[in-house]
Each structure stands twice: as structure tokens, then as C-alpha cells.
Amino acid sequence: MVGATGYTGVELLRLLVMHPGVEISCVTSRSNDGTRVDEMFPSLRGFLDLPFTVPDDGRLAEADVVFFATPNGVAMDSVPALLKAGTRVIDLAADFRIRDAGVWSQWYGMQHACPELIAEAVYGLPELNREAIRTARLVANPGCYPTAVTLGFLPLVERGLVELDSLIADAKSGASGAGRKASVANLLCEAGDSFKAYGVAGHRHLPEISQNLRQISGVDALDLVFVPHLLPMIRGIHATLYARLTHGFQAMEPADLQAIYEQRYARETFVDVLPPGSHPETRSVRGANLCRMAVHRPQNGRRVVVLSVIDNLVKGAAGQAVQNMNLMLGFQEETGLRHPGLLP
Amino acid sequence: MVGATGYTGVELLRLLVMHPGVEISCVTSRSNDGTRVDEMFPSLRGFLDLPFTVPDDGRLAEADVVFFATPNGVAMDSVPALLKAGTRVIDLAADFRIRDAGVWSQWYGMQHACPELIAEAVYGLPELNREAIRTARLVANPGCYPTAVTLGFLPLVERGLVELDSLIADAKSGASGAGRKASVANLLCEAGDSFKAYGVAGHRHLPEISQNLRQISGVDALDLVFVPHLLPMIRGIHATLYARLTHGFQAMEPADLQAIYEQRYARETFVDVLPPGSHPETRSVRGANLCRMAVHRPQNGRRVVVLSVIDNLVKGAAGQAVQNMNLMLGFQEETGLRHPGLLP
Amino acid sequence: MVGATGYTGVELLRLLVMHPGVEISCVTSRSNDGTRVDEMFPSLRGFLDLPFTVPDDGRLAEADVVFFATPNGVAMDSVPALLKAGTRVIDLAADFRIRDAGVWSQWYGMQHACPELIAEAVYGLPELNREAIRTARLVANPGCYPTAVTLGFLPLVERGLVELDSLIADAKSGASGAGRKASVANLLCEAGDSFKAYGVAGHRHLPEISQNLRQISGVDALDLVFVPHLLPMIRGIHATLYARLTHGFQAMEPADLQAIYEQRYARETFVDVLPPGSHPETRSVRGANLCRMAVHRPQNGRRVVVLSVIDNLVKGAAGQAVQNMNLMLGFQEETGLRHPGLLP
Amino acid sequence: MVGATGYTGVELLRLLVMHPGVEISCVTSRSNDGTRVDEMFPSLRGFLDLPFTVPDDGRLAEADVVFFATPNGVAMDSVPALLKAGTRVIDLAADFRIRDAGVWSQWYGMQHACPELIAEAVYGLPELNREAIRTARLVANPGCYPTAVTLGFLPLVERGLVELDSLIADAKSGASGAGRKASVANLLCEAGDSFKAYGVAGHRHLPEISQNLRQISGVDALDLVFVPHLLPMIRGIHATLYARLTHGFQAMEPADLQAIYEQRYARETFVDVLPPGSHPETRSVRGANLCRMAVHRPQNGRRVVVLSVIDNLVKGAAGQAVQNMNLMLGFQEETGLRHPGLLP
């Protein structure tokens, strides 16, 4: 596992130490070489006795799977060698999420180190790409917002129920989405007891979500407005999604809409559609690998509202990575991931 | 002042004890008769030495203005007598906000006690109805969400820039909006460290906002989707507003949109339009009588996004009530209301 | 399981549904008869499909163990019948914690319904009474503060290192300690973003802690000052403990003090002594059945400071109850209780 | 005003822009030269239209008073020149708080630049040194913890009521005490939703508090244990103080203790002694220049417990600085500082 000093990293370790089929061979961090992992994260005392070590591609290549929980742009430097050595890779950062290397460079501000591998990478949203993930050598673990938004819109877009130029994703995230790096903006005294939007002009998850919705709809001309907001709390994303029903579907019964959601996710362990009239709370999925949602049609009008919540560090990052690993290694998809959220 | 045991009440007291032209003659509360106000709210120790008393219309009628910071449906029982006695009234609850008594009854679940006075009541949003407020006998102080949403949409709707069937208000409020009454739902352990939508099927502020936007646009056929959410914090509303530009205005320059907002509010002390590209934070108006906003047009597309923040207890309730009182009594509109937000 | 509508109840259910050796036969609540448990607590959706039912001693008696997660004074009415029927009982409330029925009545304000059973009840702190718990018919699960304070003082008091009239426990608890009942005092807007002491004149956990320390020291004349405080967060207790070394031990080396703590808890899975100089954080045990502590001797003076943290709902309530159940039923003590805290 | 990019700085600006007798001539910040102050702190929009400028001793010397809201060790480089120029100085940092330059160096890790001025500096706690402050050229504004702790212990120590080797200050502070600098430790995701002690081995405010208590008692041999803790909130300090009554005073009536506190602070506008049995909340002084306290004697035993709260940024920093300025410039001591706390 490469880069475990961030929130995604420690969450991945929390899940992996409880996983019955996993042995963690090494945990790397260039800047903390020699420090015990549980000294930095005392919650792991008694569960992991490894120190951080400097990343070494040879050593990493001995593992069945290597996770990258690193900043964007790090994984792509090591992935070619690891794949060549026969190791499979799950990248929790964004290096392999965007199909178009030009678009990627534009949003991430750097050249891609191995554009030839982008096409091979599988976008690791099991509810969308389960079969491809099983055999993938390289999985691009989805972003947190894209997970909540894509799963929320999926049934509507898949069936062509809504106008694709009417989509709005008003998304709110806890502060852990910003990572564990020294910054003024994410101090308790800045991000606490307050609320704001950010990145209205353009956020990196916009092209990722649009790409997903294009794949699902098969339509290129799609206009999504995506506004992320920062919540004064640590974990949790709530996406409030808006769309306008196409003319043909305005006569649809409310019960039909509910049924469409329930059927689409009936066999998905990690997606939970609430009964009609519900409002999911982020706390109900705290620590759990689950996307919980409800679908509404206010005043029985033309507009549909979907409420979709995840724990950004679990179903939005580390839990989804373990779900992908389970698929890749032939474990039961649920292994190590079935536990209720921590409420209250 | 009637009913001061809630958050709106104590906030109104905080502002009134600092107001140079106000003397508080009595503070009523049926259930706390005899208790000193500053025993319930120690923050007022040294500023107010009155006890709560049982409301008495005769005594109230001696005041120049009576504020009702009571639950919905209380003020309407006393208002006719007070007006007859020549006392002016500012109702911080919803009794006189909705023009149509039938609509009011439907949303508030009771018969109106004095429907004949509804037409006379002035909706107390000074930025919309300043002149009428000056001479009003009865002012209906606006709801918190309606203040943030109406002021945010106003310049767009007033100029006919946007399609009136495309309006969405995704609004988030701190928990003080739910008031100071014993309830499980608003416990720290329920509302804290979590986020959810509520009332998607229909919230009482929807008809109030729609009524405002109809007044501003002069158009009846208007379709607004309003989704309120509960923030894990005490004070602050953030409204994220979405609308689609009408065909004629799609060619508008970004700078024009900004200029429209700046001009509309150029002479308004209590509305602050931020520079282009800004994201207002609720904390920047904590404790202040101010609506701060920014206007965006993501990717220069057809959709406009307005970000509008207030302190729900100040510009969304008690501060606006004092602003209305200032207008009614001939004080400078800013009197007692000019101080910066408490940041951090 | 009796009474599962509170925070202790839902936490116990979270742990029990994950326990490999437990089947939950019924979950009772008089006021929610017929409601599905997972409707009240959506975090349990997919893990528990029982409705709440009215408590019925006959039905309860069929279980191997009955947990009472009820208000104080409820369990004592049912316990005699259950014990007679051969069912074992773990009471998470305070009915059987205090040896002296007179003292109990004085602090809890009611007559005890079965004082004859108090002597039989075992105080369920495994680190103190492990062997007695194994064979107990009736276990009094400790209070949250008493767990953190007793485990923190234990090594000092057991060895006679400190003056027993110098003890101070300055304890801070998250709001979940106050339970899930409608009240103004525990609203987010009252308990959030603020901090205060409470119960300085006397708190019900004072006689419980004193009783524990008397048992440990074998000395009756003991003077403890206990000041609880309310933290603006949900889970977690931090006890800061102060004591003065007896004359004989003032010459002790700092390393000796550390060694005494480490040795005392060397074989305890659920107590973790941190290295010298550490400061345990409540978040490091969030959701975990663990008491984590550090011992200090500032400026190498006469005073010892112990920092002791638990999750009040886990090691301070539901987790400890499961630990006791494991001992009573012959499971491994750790079964269902080994997982890292949820950090961040 | 020198250095206004921190929380103390912005709070000082909030108070100064409202002060009727103050004109802010310049606000300096080396790293933000040219940026408008209200761009960094939008809460000040409409109240201050100055940009940050590079500090310039000549320009500063034109002011009647210069405030230093800078990191420790900055003021001492400029103070000699400013005093020589006849300008008076209030240092909100620690440069002139400790009488003994050797002790200062030991705790602050640097050489003092002008040890000859330390003796002249007046420690700016008006309740202790009011008259000296009026004529001081150089005021050392007290630390936040020392303000809450010193005022809380003062009546006990002044009268010789307690054993000076029994003092304990268990203090809890909001995160704004740590300042506005990029750091991992103070991220919302680190300091939020958690609680811990820190600096148990020794905190810089320990020698400052001890010095105050020595001055008050006139006794050198004094043993104080001081344990600071970090609260998951922004503003507020709560000091819980413990002391043992001397033998002579154990027979004292509870009412006497209360009376001693009330009398000591009867004429102090900015200290509020609550009625017997009270528990002050930090929120009751949020934004206010006030130390609110209550005194207890649990179980009527030998130990006294004092609960003392302040807003660390106001009475613990910027408000106290304005109070000192008022004294120095001959304003009424209360000018610009009389307003209730922001509750809720």
C-alpha cells in the first residue's frame, strides 16, 4: 500500500486489518520512513505493527494488489512497472479516471505519464462495471462526489427518463474530502461552524461525473451543473440531484419512479433505496460502505429530486477500493465490508 | 415583546438592549412568569433586569411597537385589539405572511383568526417593500429561508432574465431555525455531525417564496423547487439558487450579470454583493444583519447559480424585525444594526 | 433485549448484529410496539428485520441473556422473575451498581424493588471482577464515567501510591451520555459550540466511583472530587485524574510509574497504556471497546495526572455489556469486539 | 496595528471599527502587503477599507497606540524605537509578560531583544493592575488561559483561603487559541469531534499563571498543576479550578465563599459572579469581553471548585487589549466593549 498518511489511507488500513483474507505486506510513506503507522494513527494500535517504509517498486511488486492512496499524479509513475511485474493496481487518486488524456491534463494541470494505460484502466464503480473489474489489472477508484452523484442519477439516466440538459448536482461534503494536509482553509476555525460553496466555476469531479453519465446514457450532449459545498463536519457526502422529466414520462405515477430505483438496485448490497418520502442522513452510513438514497417528485411536478448519501472515505474511497479488490481477487464482494454505520 | 423564550426572542433582546432608541417595557412568557429573563439567558446579565410576565393586551398596548416572537398562530389572536389601541405590531411568526387565507390554512393547519387584516399587513422585506413598511400598522416579518432565497433571486426575476419554470432553491439551515423546543430530532446527537434534507414534499416556506417571486415578476405561472436541508451547526442559512437564462439573455456577458446584481443592491446597506468568482461563507454574517451573495454562470452556460447567505436569526428574523421597526418609527434604518459578523 | 430506543440500545444492537455467536430474539419498546427497529435506526437496515415488541417476561425468559438498556428503575421490576426462570441478566442502567440500597435510593430518588438481589449482582468491570462475572446471574454494567475514572485510578490506588483524600476526577463527556430523550438542554443549539460543567454539587456517578475505589484500596476514608462537563460532540469521555503521591513514593522514578501502568494492564485487551508523554484523544477510541490512557507526573512533582479516554457508548456501556456477555456465556472475551476506532 | 492576519488580529479589528473613539491608521502584514483587509476577512466589508501594508516603524510611531497581534518575539524588536518616539504599545503576544528574562527565554526558546524594558512593562490585567495600566507606556496583554485562571483563583489566593501547594487548573480551550496558521493538528478533521489534553509536561502559560498567583499571594512557594485541553469548537475557555481550603477556613459557611467572590468583583464590569450553584457556559460570553464564574464547595468538604469562562479571543486577547487601551487613553473603561454574548 502506497501513501497511507492521509484520511483515505488510514481508512483503508482500518478496513484491511479487519479483512479476513488480507495480509498487509508494507505501508509506504517517503516522509515518515521508519515511523510506526500506529504512532501516527493510534486507533490502529494492536492491529498493525508495521512501520512506514520508503516505496520500492520491487517490494511492491511482490504483493497481489497494490493500493495507491497518494496525491494525484503519483501512481502513474509506478503503475507501468507494477503491471509489467504482474501486480494489479487500485489507484484511489484520479490518475486513471478520465478517458481523455487531454481533458485529464487540463483539469489536473500536468502531463500524463502513461497515457497508453488509460484505456485499459477500469473505472471501479462495481454497480456500473462489475464484470470488467473482476479481470482488470488496473482499477481507477472513483472520486467521492462522482460515486454519490452517479449512483443517484443512474436509474433516471439509464432509462432516458430525464432531460440531459437539466441536470444539477448540489453536493455537500465533510472536510475529510480535502485530505490531511496542513492548510489554513481546512482548520477547525475556518471550516467549522460555517458553510460555503466552492469551485462553482469548475471542479475536477465535473468531467468525471459527466463522463459517467455519458457512458450510462450513451448520449454526448449533456449539461450538468455541479456545485460542491463544504460541510462543518468530518465524514459524509450528501448529493441533492435535480432533473426534469422528459415529456413522455411526466404522466408517470410516483410509485413507478420508486419502483425503478428499487429494481435497479435490488441486487446491490451496497446501495440502499429508502421507502417513499424518506430523507437519508449522512450519519446513517458513517463508517459503512453504502450509498443510501431516496427519490422524490415534489408536488408531483416535472422535476425529480434524488437524495444520495455516502461516507466519502468508505463508499467514496477506501471501502469501494476494498470492494474492487474483493472482485479482483475472487473474494465475496461483501467480505470485510458488512457492518452497520456508526450512529449516533 | 411577546414570547421571548425562543432563539428569535433572545436574539431580538440582544439587539434591542443595544439599540440607542429603544426601551423594553415588558417581556412576556406565559410559562415562565416571574423568572428573570437573564436567568434563562445569562448572556443578557447586566443588560436587562426584567422578569418574564404573563402577556396582557392592555399593558402591551402602551408600547409603540409590539414584537411577537411566538409560535405560529399566537399573534393573530392579539393583533386586532392592539391595532385598535393604536399600537403597531411586528409579527416574527408566519400569521400574516401569506396573502391568501386559504393557502395559509392549508400550510399551517389552522383557521386564521383575523383574515380581514391580512391584506393590510405589509411583508417586511425592506429591500422590496421599504416605503410601505414605514407607514404600516402591521408588519409580517419574513421567514428565514424566504429572505435568503428572495433576495438571491430578486435581480434575476425582476429583470425577466430567467425562465420561471426552471427555479431551484437548494437551501441549508443551521439548527436554530427549528427553534428552542424539546425534541428528539434536534438533539445534538441527532442533528450534529450529520446532514440531511427534509420537507422535500413540501415546506411552509415554499408558498411564501413563490408569493414573493410572483410579486417581483408579475407572473403567476412559476415553478419553484425548494429543498431545505439541516446543517450540523447553530446559525446560518446558505441558499444555492439555480435558474436557466431565457433565450434572449444567453448572449449576455458575465460582467453584465455581476453588474445587474451590484446595481440592484448598490444602495442597500444590508445586502452585500461579493466580487465575481466569490463564495460567501455563512460565518461571515454570523450575528450580523446582512445578506451576502455571489452570482455565477458556470462554464458560461445557460444556467445561473446564486449563492446567498444570512444569519437566520438576524437578517432572517430578529435583525430584520429591528430594521422594520427602525423604518416604522423613523429611526435611521441602520440604527443598532451596524456591526461586523463574529468571525471566526 | 429490553429498551432499545436509546443510544445505548442502538449501539448494543450494532455490536450484537455483528457478533458471530448471537441471535437477537426480540427487541422491546412499549411505546414503539410494531415499528421496525431499522425504521427508527436506518443504520441497521439490512442487519436486523425485527419490529419492536411490548416487553413480555415469559418471552424474555426464553433467551440465554437479557440486556436492559432502559432508564434507571425499570430492570429491577423484571429481574427477580427472569432470574427465577433461569435467564441471566445484564443491566446497563444503574439499578444494581450500588451495594448499599439506602445510598442508591438517596441518589436515584426511588425505593429499590428487589434489594435482596443487590448483593448477588456482580459489578461488570471485567478488569476488576472478571472471574465473578463469568458465573454471575446478574451483572450491573458500570456507568460510563465510572469506567473511565476507575480504570484510570486503579493502578495508583491498588498499590497505595497516592493520598486517598487528594483525588480529583475532572471528566468530560460527549452529549450521547445524556441519552436520546426530548429535552431543551441537549439540543444542538444548547449543547453545541459551548462547554460547561454540571452537577458539581453531586452527580450520581460519584458514589459509584467512590465505591469502586474503596473496593480497590480497601480503605473507607476516601475523598474524591468529581466534576463532570459536557462536550460539544456526540461520543467520547476524557477523564483527567489528579492525585498526590504519598510521601513514600515521591522519590519514585518517572519510568516506574509508567511501568506500573503497563504491567497492570499488560494482559488486558481492552485497556491500552500509551507511551510516556502521550495524550490520548477520544477519537482514537470512537466506536471501539477500549480504554486508552497515559500517565504523567508534571515537572516531576508530587502530583500525578492520568488521562483516560473511552467511547462512552462502547467501553462505557454497550461494548462492556457485550464483553460481560462473552464472559458469562463462555465466548472468547474479545468476540465481536475487536475493531479499530473510526478515525477521523 | 501590527500583524492582523490571525484570529486575535481580526477580532481586534472587529472591536476597533465599532469603537467610537478610535481611528485605525494602518494595518500591517509583511506577507499580505497590498491585499485589502476585508478581502481576507469578508466580515469586515463595509467597516474597513484599508489594505495591509508592510510594517514601518516611522509610520507606526504616528499612532497614539500600536497593537502587536503578532507571533511571540516580533514586538520586542520594534518596541524600543516606538517607545522612544513616544508611542504607547500594547503587545498581545508574550514578549513582556514574564518578569524574569531567563525564565522567558527558557519557555519561549529565544533571547529577549530588550530585557531592560521588561521591568517597565505592565501586565495588562485591569482587575489586578488597573492604575498602573493607565500610565503605562508598554502593556503586556495577558494570555488567554492566564486570564481565566488568574481571575478565578484571585479571591481565594488574595485572602489566603487555600493551600498554595494544592492548586490545580484543568483548562479547556477552543481551537482559535492555536491561531490561524496552516497545521495538520488544527484541521477540522483532527481537532473536530474529539477531545484531548496537551502540554501536560509543561505549557508556556504555566509560568505566567504562577507569576500572577505569586504576585497576588505574596508567597513564592506555590505549586500549580496546569493541564490544558483542546475543545472541538472555535471560541471559549473553561477553566475548572481546584484548591484545598487551609485549616482555618474549613469551618467557613458556603455563603461566605460566595460573598467573597461577589464582593471582590462587585465593581468590575467585566467579571460576572453567578449565583450559588451555577455552571457558566462558554457560549454565554461568546464575543463578549467578560469573565463569568461560579464558586462551589462540593459536599461542603475541604475542596473548592471554581468554574471560570471567557471568550479566549475577547477577554482572553483582543477585548482585554481594548480595555487596556481605554484605560491608557482615558476613555471610559467600557467604551466599545459593552454588548451581550452571541447566544445561541
Side-chain angles (χ1 to χ4, degrees), chain C residues 138-155:
Chain C
L138 172 57
V139 165
N141 212 58
C144 49
Y145 285 126
T147 297
V149 174
T150 304
L151 292 175
F153 271 135
L154 192 151

Side-chain angles (χ1 to χ4, degrees), chain A:
Chain A
M1 178 174 168
V2 182
T5 62
Y7 295 132
T8 298
V10 63
E11 185 69 357
L12 188 52
L13 289 171
R14 181 179 74 91
L15 295 171
L16 291 177
V17 298
M18 301 306 294
H19 193 291
V22 166
E23 194 195 346
I24 302 171
S25 56
C26 69
V27 181
T28 77
S29 161
R30 213 169 281 278
S31 53
N32 293 281
D33 183 30
T35 306
R36 276 180 64 106
V37 176
D38 65 1
E39 192 180 320
M40 181 175 289
F41 299 117
S43 54
L44 295 173
R45 281 171 62 92
F47 295 94
L48 186 71
D49 59 5
L50 295 175
F52 290 109
T53 51
V54 169
D56 163 351
D57 283 356
R59 180 102 190 275
L60 289 171
E62 294 168 17
D64 295 319
V65 173
V66 171
F67 293 94
F68 282 86
T70 44
N72 297 317
V74 173
M76 64 186 183
D77 286 335
S78 296
V79 163
L82 288 171
L83 293 190
K84 188 171 292 175
T87 301
R88 298 165 83 182
V89 172
I90 300 174
D91 178 23
L92 285 87
D95 296 11
F96 299 94
R97 291 182 193 156
I98 303 290
R99 305 278 108 202
D100 182 323
V103 170
W104 189 85
S105 291
Q106 176 192 327
W107 286 91
Y108 288 89
M110 47 186 140
Q111 279 296 103
H112 204 288
C114 50
E116 70 285 1
L117 290 176
I118 294 178
E120 180 184 344
V122 176
Y123 187 75
L125 191 63
E127 292 76 10
L128 197 59
N129 299 325
R130 180 167 286 113
E131 292 315 310
I133 294 165
R134 290 192 204 278
T135 56
R137 294 198 304 165
L138 172 57
V139 165
N141 211 58
C144 49
Y145 284 126
T147 297
V149 174
T150 304
L151 291 175
F153 271 136
L154 191 151
L156 293 176
V157 169
E158 200 172 58
R159 298 261 201 138
L161 296 174
V162 294
E163 296 178 355
L164 295 177
D165 66 348
S166 74
L167 306 177
I168 292 173
D170 187 290
K172 302 87 175 171
S173 175
S176 59
R180 188 174 171 275
K181 53 185 173 294
S183 80
V184 169
N186 294 300
L187 294 177
L188 171 58
C189 295
E190 300 288 313
D193 199 16
S194 191
F195 184 77
K196 64 168 183 179
Y198 63 99
V200 178
H203 182 283
R204 287 167 173 184
H205 285 172
L206 174 62
E208 184 178 338
I209 300 170
S210 295
Q211 174 179 285
N212 292 345
L213 298 179
R214 285 196 185 98
Q215 177 189 336
I216 294 165
S217 66
V219 175
D220 236 46
L222 178 145
D223 184 15
L224 170 72
V225 172
F226 169 55
V227 177
H229 302 74
L230 181 60
L231 284 165
M233 59 187 217
I234 298 175
R235 285 171 182 249
I237 281 180
H238 186 293
T240 312
L241 309 176
Y242 301 89
R244 190 194 296 245
L245 290 170
T246 52
H247 260 290
F249 287 100
Q250 289 179 47
M252 193 169 53
E253 292 295 311
D256 296 342
L257 198 56
Q258 178 71 20
I260 285 167
Y261 270 75
E262 290 184 1
Q263 285 160 21
R264 178 57 180 84
Y265 290 124
R267 283 188 307 276
E268 293 293 347
T269 305
F270 297 121
V271 180
D272 179 30
V273 178
L274 290 174
S278 300
H279 302 91
E281 303 176 83
T282 59
R283 64 177 186 151
S284 80
V285 298
R286 191 190 292 129
N289 191 55
L290 194 66
C291 181
R292 181 161 276 147
M293 61 180 67
V295 58
H296 290 257
R297 194 173 159 191
Q299 267 85 52
N300 213 22
R302 274 193 71 179
R303 256 93 65 95
V304 176
V305 177
V306 183
L307 313 171
S308 166
V309 302
I310 59 171
D311 182 326
N312 55 304
L313 296 180
V314 192
K315 184 62 179 164
Q320 189 139 270
V322 172
Q323 192 180 349
N324 283 320
M325 179 200 73
N326 285 343
L327 289 167
M328 292 164 80
L329 299 184
F331 292 113
Q332 285 277 8
E333 191 170 338
E334 308 185 357
T335 311
L337 293 174
R338 282 280 296 168
H339 46 258
L342 192 75
L343 176 159

